[in-house]
Amino acid sequence: MLEIKNLTVYYGHALALENINMAVPEKGLTAVIGPNGAGKTTLLKAISRIVDPAQGSISYKGHNLLKYGPHKLAKMGIAHCPEGRKPFPEMSALENLLVGGFVLPSSKVQARLKMVFDLFPILRERMNQLSITLSGGEQQMLAIGRALMVSPSLLLIDEPSLGLSPLVVDELERIIGNIKESGVTVLMVEGNVDLIRDLPDAVYVLDHGSLVHSGTVSQIMNDANLAKTYFGM
Ligand code: ATP
Protein backbone atom coordinates (compact mmCIF):
# COMPACT_ATOMS: atom_id res chain seq x y z
CA MET A 1 0.00 0.00 0.00
CA LEU A 2 2.81 2.36 0.88
CA GLU A 3 6.33 2.19 -0.43
CA ILE A 4 9.05 4.54 0.71
CA LYS A 5 12.37 4.71 -1.08
CA ASN A 6 15.56 6.55 -0.13
CA LEU A 7 13.64 9.12 1.89
CA THR A 8 15.80 11.92 3.27
CA VAL A 9 14.44 14.87 5.25
CA TYR A 10 16.22 17.93 6.62
CA TYR A 11 15.03 20.68 8.94
CA GLY A 12 17.23 23.52 7.69
CA HIS A 13 20.71 21.99 7.76
CA ALA A 14 19.78 19.33 10.34
CA LEU A 15 19.35 15.84 8.95
CA ALA A 16 16.21 14.21 10.44
CA LEU A 17 15.83 11.14 8.18
CA GLU A 18 18.45 9.59 5.95
CA ASN A 19 17.79 7.18 3.09
CA ILE A 20 14.79 5.42 4.59
CA ASN A 21 13.37 2.44 2.69
CA MET A 22 10.26 0.73 3.94
CA ALA A 23 7.07 -0.92 2.76
CA VAL A 24 3.70 -0.98 4.47
CA PRO A 25 1.52 -3.84 3.24
CA GLU A 26 -2.25 -3.51 2.97
CA LYS A 27 -4.54 -4.48 5.86
CA GLY A 28 -1.97 -4.93 8.58
CA LEU A 29 -0.35 -2.91 11.32
CA THR A 30 3.21 -1.74 10.88
CA ALA A 31 4.93 -0.16 13.87
CA VAL A 32 7.83 2.28 13.96
CA ILE A 33 9.84 2.44 17.15
CA GLY A 34 13.01 4.17 18.27
CA PRO A 35 14.36 6.61 20.84
CA ASN A 36 13.43 10.29 21.17
CA GLY A 37 14.54 12.33 18.20
CA ALA A 38 14.98 9.25 15.97
CA GLY A 39 12.79 10.76 13.25
CA LYS A 40 9.57 8.79 13.80
CA THR A 41 7.24 11.79 13.77
CA THR A 42 9.12 13.24 10.81
CA LEU A 43 8.48 10.02 8.90
CA LEU A 44 4.70 10.33 9.44
CA LYS A 45 4.83 14.04 8.59
CA ALA A 46 6.67 13.26 5.34
CA ILE A 47 4.02 10.70 4.38
CA SER A 48 1.21 13.13 5.09
CA ARG A 49 3.13 15.86 3.22
CA ILE A 50 3.53 18.19 6.19
CA VAL A 51 7.29 18.18 5.61
CA ASP A 52 8.98 18.03 2.21
CA PRO A 53 11.70 15.46 1.70
CA ALA A 54 15.03 16.52 0.21
CA GLN A 55 15.11 13.27 -1.75
CA GLY A 56 13.36 9.96 -2.16
CA SER A 57 9.90 8.79 -3.11
CA ILE A 58 6.67 7.87 -1.35
CA SER A 59 4.20 5.82 -3.28
CA TYR A 60 0.68 5.10 -2.03
CA LYS A 61 -1.47 2.62 -3.96
CA GLY A 62 0.83 3.30 -6.90
CA HIS A 63 0.42 7.11 -6.72
CA ASN A 64 3.42 9.35 -6.23
CA LEU A 65 2.39 11.13 -3.01
CA LEU A 66 4.99 13.86 -3.47
CA LYS A 67 2.83 15.29 -6.25
CA TYR A 68 0.05 16.08 -3.78
CA GLY A 69 -0.35 18.69 -1.05
CA PRO A 70 -1.45 17.64 2.44
CA HIS A 71 -5.01 18.86 1.81
CA LYS A 72 -5.44 16.22 -0.90
CA LEU A 73 -4.44 13.28 1.25
CA ALA A 74 -7.63 12.84 3.26
CA LYS A 75 -9.56 12.54 0.01
CA MET A 76 -7.09 9.86 -1.08
CA GLY A 77 -7.86 7.90 2.09
CA ILE A 78 -4.90 8.82 4.30
CA ALA A 79 -5.63 10.06 7.82
CA HIS A 80 -3.04 11.29 10.33
CA CYS A 81 -3.66 11.12 14.06
CA PRO A 82 -0.90 13.42 15.34
CA GLU A 83 1.39 13.11 18.34
CA GLY A 84 -0.12 14.90 21.33
CA ARG A 85 -3.67 14.32 20.01
CA LYS A 86 -4.17 18.01 19.09
CA PRO A 87 -7.95 18.30 19.29
CA PHE A 88 -9.36 21.63 18.13
CA PRO A 89 -9.65 23.07 21.64
CA GLU A 90 -12.54 25.46 21.18
CA MET A 91 -14.73 22.87 19.51
CA SER A 92 -16.86 20.21 21.11
CA ALA A 93 -16.02 16.54 20.67
CA LEU A 94 -18.79 16.29 18.06
CA GLU A 95 -17.50 19.31 16.13
CA ASN A 96 -14.00 17.79 16.11
CA LEU A 97 -15.41 14.62 14.60
CA LEU A 98 -17.40 16.55 12.01
CA VAL A 99 -14.23 18.39 10.95
CA GLY A 100 -12.65 14.97 10.42
CA GLY A 101 -15.60 14.01 8.24
CA PHE A 102 -15.36 17.02 5.94
CA VAL A 103 -14.18 14.89 3.03
CA LEU A 104 -17.22 12.63 3.11
CA PRO A 105 -20.36 13.26 1.09
CA SER A 106 -22.90 14.67 3.56
CA SER A 107 -25.12 11.60 3.08
CA LYS A 108 -22.37 9.43 4.63
CA VAL A 109 -21.45 11.55 7.65
CA GLN A 110 -24.11 10.27 10.06
CA ALA A 111 -23.32 6.61 9.39
CA ARG A 112 -19.62 7.25 9.87
CA LEU A 113 -20.32 9.16 13.10
CA LYS A 114 -22.33 6.20 14.37
CA MET A 115 -19.44 3.88 13.55
CA VAL A 116 -17.02 6.09 15.52
CA PHE A 117 -19.44 6.37 18.47
CA ASP A 118 -19.91 2.58 18.46
CA LEU A 119 -16.13 2.18 18.62
CA PHE A 120 -15.78 4.87 21.32
CA PRO A 121 -19.06 4.94 23.32
CA ILE A 122 -17.53 7.48 25.73
CA LEU A 123 -17.40 10.02 22.88
CA ARG A 124 -21.14 9.70 22.40
CA GLU A 125 -21.59 10.59 26.07
CA ARG A 126 -19.13 13.46 25.82
CA MET A 127 -20.05 14.77 22.36
CA ASN A 128 -21.21 18.19 23.53
CA GLN A 129 -18.23 18.79 25.82
CA LEU A 130 -15.43 21.08 24.74
CA SER A 131 -12.63 18.80 23.61
CA ILE A 132 -10.07 20.28 26.03
CA THR A 133 -12.24 19.34 28.99
CA LEU A 134 -11.92 15.64 28.12
CA SER A 135 -9.40 13.43 29.92
CA GLY A 136 -6.14 12.51 28.15
CA GLY A 137 -7.50 9.09 27.22
CA GLU A 138 -10.75 10.56 25.91
CA GLN A 139 -8.82 13.13 23.88
CA GLN A 140 -6.75 10.32 22.36
CA MET A 141 -9.93 8.47 21.45
CA LEU A 142 -11.29 11.69 19.97
CA ALA A 143 -8.13 12.16 17.90
CA ILE A 144 -8.34 8.60 16.56
CA GLY A 145 -12.09 9.01 16.00
CA ARG A 146 -11.53 12.27 14.11
CA ALA A 147 -9.01 10.50 11.86
CA LEU A 148 -11.42 7.59 11.32
CA MET A 149 -14.12 10.04 10.19
CA VAL A 150 -12.03 10.42 7.03
CA SER A 151 -12.91 6.77 6.33
CA PRO A 152 -9.25 6.07 5.71
CA SER A 153 -7.58 3.19 3.94
CA LEU A 154 -4.32 4.16 5.64
CA LEU A 155 -4.28 5.45 9.21
CA LEU A 156 -1.10 7.05 10.58
CA ILE A 157 -1.05 7.14 14.40
CA ASP A 158 1.72 8.91 16.31
CA GLU A 159 2.44 7.69 19.87
CA PRO A 160 -1.15 7.11 20.98
CA SER A 161 -0.08 5.90 24.43
CA LEU A 162 1.78 9.11 25.32
CA GLY A 163 0.96 10.14 28.89
CA LEU A 164 -1.85 7.63 29.34
CA SER A 165 -2.38 5.20 32.23
CA PRO A 166 -1.82 1.45 31.71
CA LEU A 167 -5.59 0.85 31.89
CA VAL A 168 -6.28 3.32 29.09
CA VAL A 169 -3.40 1.85 27.07
CA ASP A 170 -5.06 -1.59 27.38
CA GLU A 171 -8.29 -0.09 26.07
CA LEU A 172 -6.41 1.56 23.19
CA GLU A 173 -4.78 -1.74 22.32
CA ARG A 174 -8.20 -3.35 21.99
CA ILE A 175 -9.55 -0.47 19.90
CA ILE A 176 -6.54 -0.23 17.57
CA GLY A 177 -6.76 -4.02 17.18
CA ASN A 178 -10.41 -3.61 16.11
CA ILE A 179 -9.46 -0.91 13.61
CA LYS A 180 -6.84 -3.23 12.12
CA GLU A 181 -9.35 -6.12 12.00
CA SER A 182 -11.79 -3.87 10.14
CA GLY A 183 -9.31 -3.78 7.25
CA VAL A 184 -7.74 -0.35 7.75
CA THR A 185 -3.99 -0.38 7.16
CA VAL A 186 -2.27 1.16 10.19
CA LEU A 187 1.20 2.70 10.45
CA MET A 188 1.81 3.45 14.12
CA VAL A 189 4.69 5.16 15.87
CA GLU A 190 4.84 3.83 19.40
CA GLY A 191 7.32 3.21 22.17
CA ASN A 192 5.13 1.54 24.75
CA VAL A 193 5.88 -2.19 24.85
CA ASP A 194 2.32 -2.91 26.01
CA LEU A 195 0.95 -1.52 22.76
CA ILE A 196 3.64 -3.04 20.58
CA ARG A 197 3.74 -6.60 21.91
CA ASP A 198 0.81 -8.16 20.02
CA LEU A 199 -0.52 -5.65 17.48
CA PRO A 200 2.14 -5.20 14.79
CA ASP A 201 2.72 -7.49 11.85
CA ALA A 202 6.06 -5.79 11.27
CA VAL A 203 8.28 -3.38 13.15
CA TYR A 204 10.79 -0.86 11.81
CA VAL A 205 13.39 0.57 14.16
CA LEU A 206 14.64 4.11 13.58
CA ASP A 207 17.65 5.57 15.35
CA HIS A 208 19.30 8.94 14.70
CA GLY A 209 17.37 9.32 11.45
CA SER A 210 18.38 5.93 10.03
CA LEU A 211 16.54 2.66 9.72
CA VAL A 212 18.59 0.28 11.83
CA HIS A 213 16.41 -2.80 11.95
CA SER A 214 13.17 -4.31 10.69
CA GLY A 215 11.42 -7.54 11.53
CA THR A 216 8.63 -8.99 13.61
CA VAL A 217 8.07 -8.13 17.27
CA SER A 218 9.32 -11.53 18.39
CA GLN A 219 12.50 -11.16 16.33
CA ILE A 220 13.21 -7.89 18.12
CA MET A 221 12.20 -9.16 21.55
CA ASN A 222 14.31 -12.28 21.12
CA ASP A 223 17.37 -10.23 20.30
CA ALA A 224 18.74 -9.28 23.72
CA ASN A 225 20.54 -6.17 22.43
CA LEU A 226 17.57 -4.81 20.47
CA ALA A 227 15.11 -5.61 23.27
CA LYS A 228 17.30 -3.84 25.82
CA THR A 229 18.02 -0.83 23.61
CA TYR A 230 14.53 -0.22 22.26
CA PHE A 231 12.19 -1.80 24.80
CA GLY A 232 14.29 -1.40 27.96
CA MET A 233 13.81 -5.10 28.68
P1 ATP B 1 10.00 11.80 19.78
O1 ATP B 1 9.92 10.35 20.15
O2 ATP B 1 10.72 12.62 20.81
O3 ATP B 1 8.72 12.39 19.32
P2 ATP B 1 10.86 11.38 17.03
O4 ATP B 1 11.55 10.10 16.83
O5 ATP B 1 9.43 11.46 16.64
O6 ATP B 1 11.04 11.87 18.54
P3 ATP B 1 11.22 13.71 15.38
O7 ATP B 1 10.23 14.51 16.15
O8 ATP B 1 10.86 13.24 14.04
O9 ATP B 1 11.72 12.47 16.25
O10 ATP B 1 12.57 14.56 15.29
C1 ATP B 1 13.70 14.10 14.53
C2 ATP B 1 14.79 15.18 14.63
O11 ATP B 1 14.37 16.35 13.95
C3 ATP B 1 15.11 15.60 16.07
O12 ATP B 1 16.49 15.86 16.15
C4 ATP B 1 14.30 16.87 16.24
O13 ATP B 1 14.91 17.73 17.18
C5 ATP B 1 14.35 17.47 14.85
N1 ATP B 1 13.15 18.25 14.55
C6 ATP B 1 11.87 17.82 14.61
N2 ATP B 1 11.00 18.79 14.23
C7 ATP B 1 11.78 19.86 13.91
C8 ATP B 1 11.51 21.18 13.44
N3 ATP B 1 10.24 21.59 13.20
N4 ATP B 1 12.55 22.01 13.24
C9 ATP B 1 13.82 21.61 13.46
N5 ATP B 1 14.17 20.38 13.89
C10 ATP B 1 13.15 19.53 14.12
Side-chain angles (χ1 to χ4, degrees):
M1 174 167 271
L2 190 71
E3 190 159 27
I4 295 172
K5 287 191 183 153
N6 304 322
L7 186 76
T8 297
V9 177
Y10 286 88
Y11 292 106
H13 294 295
L15 182 62
L17 285 177
E18 186 173 21
N19 255 332
I20 303 298
N21 289 286
M22 63 186 287
V24 177
E26 199 171 358
K27 293 188 194 302
L29 189 146
T30 301
V32 179
I33 66 171
N36 288 349
K40 307 179 298 295
T41 294
T42 301
L43 175 67
L44 296 194
K45 285 183 173 175
I47 296 166
S48 59
R49 306 293 296 112
I50 298 166
V51 297
D52 264 329
Q55 77 172 44
S57 64
I58 306 175
S59 148
Y60 163 74
K61 294 183 175 174
H63 299 283
N64 172 9
L65 271 193
L66 301 186
K67 285 198 331 205
Y68 300 92
H71 61 294
K72 295 277 185 207
L73 267 65
K75 282 198 173 142
M76 296 173 77
I78 301 177
H80 188 155
C81 179
E83 183 175 20
R85 322 188 237 283
K86 299 188 174 63
F88 299 111
E90 289 174 12
M91 290 183 173
S92 68
L94 176 62
E95 287 165 337
N96 268 270
L97 294 175
L98 291 175
V99 170
F102 82 103
V103 288
L104 298 180
S106 50
S107 58
K108 299 215 163 137
V109 170
Q110 285 310 316
R112 196 68 195 167
L113 205 50
K114 180 177 180 312
M115 178 254 142
V116 170
F117 283 147
D118 289 348
L119 191 62
F120 302 106
I122 191 71
L123 294 183
R124 186 179 271 120
E125 284 175 39
R126 301 271 192 267
M127 69 174 155
N128 293 318
Q129 263 181 246
L130 272 187
S131 60
I132 41 165
T133 66
L134 303 181
S135 71
E138 290 163 357
Q139 285 189 23
Q140 186 60 64
M141 291 176 196
L142 180 61
I144 296 174
R146 183 180 54 187
L148 286 176
M149 284 298 293
V150 167
S151 199
S153 304
L154 174 65
L155 176 61
L156 311 174
I157 313 184
D158 199 346
E159 297 220 38
S161 78
L162 205 66
L164 302 181
S165 70
L167 258 176
V168 179
V169 172
D170 284 352
E171 175 72 356
L172 272 182
E173 183 187 15
R174 188 186 62 74
I175 289 166
I176 294 170
N178 285 346
I179 293 170
K180 172 185 162 182
E181 292 308 316
S182 76
V184 176
T185 305
V186 182
L187 177 61
M188 179 168 79
V189 165
E190 184 54 64
N192 186 324
V193 188
D194 291 337
L195 211 48
I196 290 293
R197 193 173 279 118
D198 297 321
L199 283 177
D201 302 292
V203 178
Y204 285 89
V205 184
L206 281 180
D207 204 340
H208 287 90
S210 296
L211 193 60
V212 293
H213 195 82
S214 63
T216 61
V217 176
S218 54
Q219 283 167 342
I220 291 176
M221 298 238 181
N222 290 334
D223 181 313
N225 273 337
L226 287 174
K228 184 159 182 263
T229 309
Y230 299 110
F231 289 131
M233 298 169 76

